């Protein structure tokens, strides 16, 4: 592989570890835990992994001799910067405990376990991937591990390779599945541990113990760099409105963080749209008003940030999508036989009157996108819906009407962008490089401590790395019951943007001023080498959340 100068320099970066993990480690157990909601239902479904204590690792004077073990690792779901460092931290942790321990990577996600597709990750392979972006060391996939025959098929290769523990690096759905697998293997007394690691650029796998999911830091820095560049272009040519959709399947954390970093003229927060029960027209009117206000000052340009998941948070659309999800899950076979040209009419005829009317009112393209194949978790693939174009088209129509009425005096020309894939495989920032390495290393300590059904956790990460707190959180502690594929299922509760949380309040306090301004912020590219105030800053979201927590 030919390497760039940055890759070569970056390969020798030694990620920082929490102090407690640097020498001998002991596991300290806290109080028994319970799930965030639906305690009886979750306890009944997870009798072997429910209620276990939070684990914290502390330094110890005692040297323990660990047996050599074999461990399997899986990357699951969308790519997120730092995945390779989770694997290298896991590898180094295992080797530190016993140099004869071995690590096997399952290829292309959870499907690799079921299909017995794997490769051993030896030191020379690991060294090639340290501090690099991407998941290409073993690839990732979205196969949902949820059926007994998959668990049993996986067990065959686990036995063949004499694997003691599996580490699943994934988002909320993949960690839910990790817990289901942990519970199954524990119930069957197979002696196979399962540990999860919190990954997703979306930033929606977090709670009191899991401060952030890895990849959010790097991805938002990459998007903020290019948003800043666009804003400078805006200020230079003064002729376009840029509609920028940002990834984040459900929560608006990415859009909010980018807004805090770049100070755009408009940023829509899906959770607010839902809370205020806004319609699509309300959102369009809000943007159009910002365009009109700026035009009145002679500024026919600006930026609008749109979270990818917006459509699903507009209450009328949400009700429609929920009915569509259930209907398509139950009638997939029949729907697959309907000719494309008749699908719209067919759906209109099958839905309840309220949802049918909303569906019929949608532009053809969006209506079709809402009936496209779901992802393996039964979710609409919102990344395929061109919300940025939908909104700018609707804003243009509204402004044309306002022009006729004399309420809009400017010009409106739009450019469209969708930033998602550009950031998912970026070389991890120092924060993600350190955080991920520590998560992987912590996973090895959880395995050594004999734990299963736990998520690796590293906290206090706005402090210097040596003060970070490493440990394990029972995955059942994060669960509640939600409707999926038309059925109630135990799932990890998704962390949406909190409207009373510090990051949103910070944005809300400034947005009126930012709507008018031309004094944008241009964050520039991620810096890997240089002063700590330039290279080691966590996200504004995390800093504000920590500050909010400390003030309570
Ligand atoms: P994960 O939740 O699996 O980390 O994936 C997040 C994400 O990047 C979303 O932001 C986006 O909607 C989705 O993946 C797109 O996935 P795909 O490329 O598989 O369609």
């Amino acid at each position: 592989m030919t390497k760039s100068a940055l890759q070569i320099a970056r390969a020798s970066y030694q990620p920082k570890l929490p102090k407690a993990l640097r020498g001998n480690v002991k596991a300290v157990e806290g109080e028994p835990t319970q799930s965030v909601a639906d305690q009886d239902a979750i306890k009944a479904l997870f009798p072997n992994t429910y209620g276990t204590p939070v684990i914290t690792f502390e330094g110890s004077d005692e040297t323990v001799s660990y047996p050599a073990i074999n461990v399997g690792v899986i990357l699951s779901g969308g790519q997120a910067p730092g995945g390779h460092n989770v694997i290298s931290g896991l590898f180094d942790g295992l080797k530190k405990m016993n140099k004869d321990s071995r690590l096997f990577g399952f290829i292309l996600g959870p499907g690799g376990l079921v299909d017995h597709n794997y490769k051993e990750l030896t030191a020379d392979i690991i060294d090639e991937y340290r501090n690099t972006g991407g998941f290409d060391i073993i690839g990732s996939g979205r196969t949902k591990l949820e059926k007994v025959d998959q668990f049993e098929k996986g067990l065959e290769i686990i036995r063949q390779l004499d694997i003691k523990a599996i580490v699943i690096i994934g988002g909320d759905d993949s960690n839910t599945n990790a817990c289901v697998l942990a519970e199954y293997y524990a119930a069957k007394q197979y002696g196979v541990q399962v540990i999860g690691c919190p990954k997703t650029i979306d930033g929606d796998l977090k709670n009191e113990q899991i401060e952030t999911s890895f990849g959010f830091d790097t991805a938002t820095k990459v998007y903020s760099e290019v948003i800043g560049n666009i804003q400078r272009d805006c200020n230079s040519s003064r002729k376009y409105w840029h509609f920028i959709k940002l990834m984040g399947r459900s929560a608006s954390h990415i859009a909010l963080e980018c807004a805090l970093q770049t100070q755009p003229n408009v940023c829509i927060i899906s959770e607010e749209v839902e809370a205020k029960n806004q319609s699509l027209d309300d959102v369009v009117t809000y943007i159009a008003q910002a365009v009109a206000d700026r035009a009145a000052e002679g500024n026919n340009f600006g930026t609008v940030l749109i979270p990818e998941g917006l459509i699903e948070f507009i209450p009328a659309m949400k009700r429609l999508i929920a009915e569509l999800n259930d209907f398509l899950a139950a009638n997939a076979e029949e729907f697959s036989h309907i000719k494309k040209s008749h699908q719209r009419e067919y759906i209109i005829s099958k839905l309840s009157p309220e949802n049918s009317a909303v569906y019929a009112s949608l532009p053809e393209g969006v209506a079709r996108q809402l009936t496209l194949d779901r992802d393996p978790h039964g979710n609409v693939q919102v990344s395929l819906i061109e919300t940025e174009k939908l909104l700018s088209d609707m804003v243009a129509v509204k402004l044309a009407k306002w022009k006729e009425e004399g309420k809009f005096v400017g010009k409106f020309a739009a450019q469209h962008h969708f930033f998602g894939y550009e950031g998912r495989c970026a070389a991890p920032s120092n924060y993600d490089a350190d955080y991920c390495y520590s998560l992987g290393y912590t996973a090895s300590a959880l395995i050594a401590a004999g734990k299963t059904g736990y998520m690796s956790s590293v906290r206090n990460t706005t402090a210097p790395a040596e003060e970070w707190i490493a440990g394990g959180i029972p995955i059942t502690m994060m669960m509640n019951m939600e409707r999926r594929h038309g059925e109630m299922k135990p799932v990890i509760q998704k962390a949406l943007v909190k409207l009373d949380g510090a990051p949103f309040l910070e944005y809300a306090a400034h947005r009126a001023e930012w709507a008018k301004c031309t004094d944008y912020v241009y964050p520039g590219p991620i810096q890997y080498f240089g002063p700590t105030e330039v290279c080691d800053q966590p996200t504004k979201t995390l800093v504000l959340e920590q500050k909010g927590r400390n003030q309570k």
Side-chain angles (χ1 to χ4, degrees):
M1 205 194 299
T2 313
K3 288 195 176 140
S4 69
L6 177 63
Q7 270 176 298
I8 294 166
R10 196 64 183 152
S12 58
Y13 177 74
Q14 179 53 50
K16 302 179 196 86
L17 271 180
K19 198 167 172 202
L21 295 182
R22 293 180 193 168
N24 300 323
V25 171
K26 72 168 184 231
V28 179
E29 301 198 348
E31 296 299 311
T33 57
Q34 49 176 355
S35 58
V36 273
D38 309 311
Q39 288 85 6
D40 292 342
I42 306 286
K43 190 174 179 181
L45 289 164
F46 295 89
N48 296 282
T49 48
Y50 188 87
T52 50
V54 168
I55 304 292
T56 306
F57 291 114
E58 289 181 2
S60 159
D61 296 334
E62 197 190 337
T63 308
V64 180
S65 102
Y66 294 96
I69 53 167
N70 294 346
V71 169
V73 64
I74 297 172
L75 289 163
S76 181
Q79 285 69 254
H84 290 157
N85 272 27
V86 179
I87 295 179
S88 56
L90 173 63
F91 180 86
D92 290 353
L94 291 171
K95 290 287 185 188
K96 172 121 193 270
M97 283 182 273
N98 190 314
K99 67 176 180 24
D100 294 323
S101 290
R102 295 166 74 190
L103 182 62
F104 294 92
F106 288 96
I107 308 294
L108 286 174
L113 178 71
V114 181
D115 302 336
H116 301 182
N117 193 3
Y118 69 91
K119 79 171 176 197
E120 180 166 1
L121 298 171
T122 49
D124 51 336
I125 299 176
I126 295 284
D127 287 348
E128 276 289 300
Y129 288 90
R130 289 180 191 271
N131 308 311
T132 57
F135 279 5
D136 43 318
I137 186 169
I138 47 175
S140 184
R142 290 198 183 274
T143 302
K144 197 168 162 59
L145 268 189
E146 58 177 358
K147 299 201 178 77
V148 166
D149 58 332
Q150 292 174 310
F151 302 163
E152 289 292 337
K153 202 85 191 99
L155 187 74
E156 287 171 16
I157 190 70
I158 286 172
R159 291 289 186 241
Q160 201 180 308
L161 297 172
D162 193 21
I163 282 176
K164 180 176 161 48
I166 297 281
V167 176
I168 298 183
I169 303 170
D172 51 344
D173 286 331
S174 307
N175 275 282
T176 295
N177 295 345
C179 195
V180 173
L181 187 65
E183 175 64 32
Y184 180 82
Y185 286 164
K188 291 277 182 181
Q189 302 188 333
Y190 286 161
V192 181
Q193 299 161 242
V194 184
I195 301 294
C197 274
K199 169 236 70 167
T200 177
I201 59 162
D202 292 2
D204 56 9
L205 173 44
K206 63 177 169 184
N207 47 51
E208 284 296 309
Q209 278 81 20
I210 305 296
E211 288 183 350
T212 185
S213 55
F214 77 76
F216 177 70
D217 185 275
T218 310
T220 51
K221 284 183 169 125
V222 172
Y223 305 143
S224 297
E225 177 203 348
V226 281
I227 293 165
N229 295 349
I230 285 174
Q231 296 192 144
R232 200 142 214 172
D233 195 287
C234 260
N235 251 343
S236 307
S237 67
R238 305 182 189 191
K239 63 178 181 185
Y240 293 125
W241 271 88
H242 291 265
F243 283 69
I244 305 167
K245 184 173 75 167
L246 291 156
M247 259 193 187
R249 222 210 69 77
S250 196
S252 309
H253 298 293
I254 292 181
L256 179 56
E257 171 64 22
C258 292
L260 293 170
Q261 286 193 37
T262 63
Q263 304 184 1
N265 301 113
V266 176
C267 175
I268 307 292
I269 300 297
S270 308
E271 291 83 345
E272 184 183 26
V273 169
E274 180 173 46
K276 291 185 171 166
N277 200 11
Q278 289 178 331
S279 63
L280 192 52
D281 185 61
D282 293 332
V283 176
V284 170
T285 306
Y286 174 68
I287 301 171
Q289 193 58 57
V291 174
D293 290 347
R294 285 176 68 78
E297 312 238 309
N299 294 325
N300 291 303
F301 62 90
T303 44
V304 182
L305 306 190
I306 303 153
E308 179 185 44
L310 174 65
I311 281 288
E312 278 191 292
F313 282 79
I314 295 173
M317 297 293 292
K318 189 177 183 170
R319 288 192 289 275
L320 166 65
I321 290 170
E323 190 179 347
L324 269 175
N325 282 346
D326 289 357
F327 176 79
L328 291 173
N331 300 282
E333 175 66 17
E334 185 175 308
F335 185 66
S336 68
H337 292 115
I338 307 288
K339 270 196 189 157
K340 222 172 169 188
S341 53
H342 291 97
Q343 283 176 351
R344 189 177 163 98
E345 289 314 308
Y346 170 83
I347 295 284
I348 289 172
S349 72
K350 297 288 181 184
L351 295 177
S352 62
E354 186 210 346
N355 289 333
S356 179
V358 175
Y359 186 81
S361 74
L362 293 174
E364 179 73 38
V366 179
R368 197 177 49 77
Q369 281 162 342
L370 289 181
T371 58
L372 292 178
D373 283 348
R374 274 34 192 168
D375 73 10
H377 300 281
N379 303 316
V380 170
Q381 300 189 57
V382 283
S383 59
L384 302 180
I385 299 175
E386 293 178 318
T387 337
E388 68 283 21
K389 292 204 179 118
L390 173 75
L391 288 177
S392 93
D393 286 356
M394 292 177 81
V395 166
V397 170
K398 190 158 289 268
L399 290 172
K401 189 163 163 272
W402 286 358
K403 198 159 217 167
E404 277 172 25
E405 295 164 4
K407 288 199 272 183
F408 173 58
V409 289
K411 289 189 207 128
F412 176 71
Q415 297 285 349
H416 306 109
H417 314 265
F418 170 34
F419 297 143
Y421 298 102
E422 293 81 350
R424 292 204 312 187
C425 284
S429 60
N430 285 353
Y431 176 90
D432 270 330
D434 297 344
Y435 181 52
C436 290
Y437 187 79
S438 300
L439 284 172
Y441 208 96
T442 303
S444 75
L446 286 167
I447 296 168
K451 302 299 169 193
T452 192
Y454 275 77
M455 193 183 291
S456 175
S457 144
V458 176
R459 289 181 285 135
N460 198 30
T461 61
T462 50
E466 59 173 35
E467 292 166 33
W468 292 4
I469 301 163
I473 311 299
I475 299 178
T476 49
M477 195 180 169
M478 307 170 201
M479 287 189 165
N480 68 166
M481 300 296 291
E482 285 178 24
R483 197 169 179 79
R484 297 282 170 95
H485 274 270
E487 275 177 61
M488 290 308 281
K489 295 247 166 139
V491 291
I492 293 177
Q493 203 173 47
K494 213 179 252 309
L496 299 177
V497 169
K498 288 190 180 141
L499 300 183
D500 59 353
F504 178 78
L505 293 177
E506 174 78 7
Y507 168 65
H510 290 99
R511 64 177 150 191
E513 167 203 335
W514 295 349
K516 291 194 184 144
C517 83
T518 49
D519 188 19
Y520 303 114
V521 176
Y522 314 122
I526 295 176
Q527 301 294 309
Y528 299 95
F529 303 99
T532 193
E533 65 275 18
V534 179
C535 303
D536 299 322
Q537 291 311 308
T539 58
K540 292 195 182 291
T541 302
L542 187 55
V543 171
L544 288 161
E545 282 173 349
Q546 297 282 329
K547 223 195 229 166
R549 227 169 254 162
N550 294 340
Q551 277 163 4
K552 272 182 196 164

